[in-house]
Amino acid sequence: MDSKLFMEIALGVFTIVGAIFTYALVPYLKEKRVYKWVVKAVYAAEQIFRGTNLGEKKKRYVLNFLKDNGINISESQLNILIEAAVRQLNTSKVEG
């Protein structure tokens, strides 16, 4: 096989792999990392603020913690992740 043709094919393959990595894998890994921090922040809020009717205070704590630590996604996305983490926490309390 001609070395020039081989290099062009290899370059094309690397370009496709790079595009897949950039548009699929990076957001997936970022989401996993973000969710991990959301769960930790929710658990911390549960430990810090004990009692009833403290949901808004806990949520503010989580939002501030995430923003202070460079988690830069929209508030609506954060709300969804927080709700999922709270559900996970509540489920683990019932099962445990």
Side-chain angles (χ1 to χ4, degrees):
M1 182 184 287
D2 183 51
S3 64
K4 185 175 181 180
L5 178 60
F6 176 77
M7 291 301 290
E8 288 180 18
I9 292 172
L11 181 61
V13 168
F14 286 128
T15 302
I16 292 169
V17 169
I20 290 170
F21 182 78
T22 301
Y23 294 105
L25 191 57
V26 169
Y28 172 77
L29 293 174
K30 181 180 177 185
E31 180 182 314
K32 287 290 193 182
R33 182 184 71 85
V34 169
Y35 184 68
K36 178 182 81 171
W37 283 108
V38 170
V39 170
K40 289 180 184 220
V42 166
Y43 277 60
E46 287 293 322
Q47 290 297 313
I48 294 168
F49 304 106
R50 295 188 175 258
T52 57
N53 299 323
L54 296 173
E56 281 301 314
K57 197 170 195 174
K58 292 175 186 179
K59 188 173 185 177
R60 260 186 279 120
Y61 172 84
V62 172
L63 288 171
N64 289 334
F65 174 84
L66 295 170
K67 287 180 182 177
D68 290 346
N69 286 284
I71 305 296
N72 296 318
I73 60 175
S74 74
E75 191 165 333
S76 64
Q77 290 171 319
L78 281 175
N79 286 334
I80 290 168
L81 293 175
I82 289 169
E83 291 301 323
V86 169
R87 180 173 171 83
Q88 179 181 336
L89 175 66
N90 290 338
T91 302
S92 68
K93 283 182 181 177
V94 170
E95 292 173 355

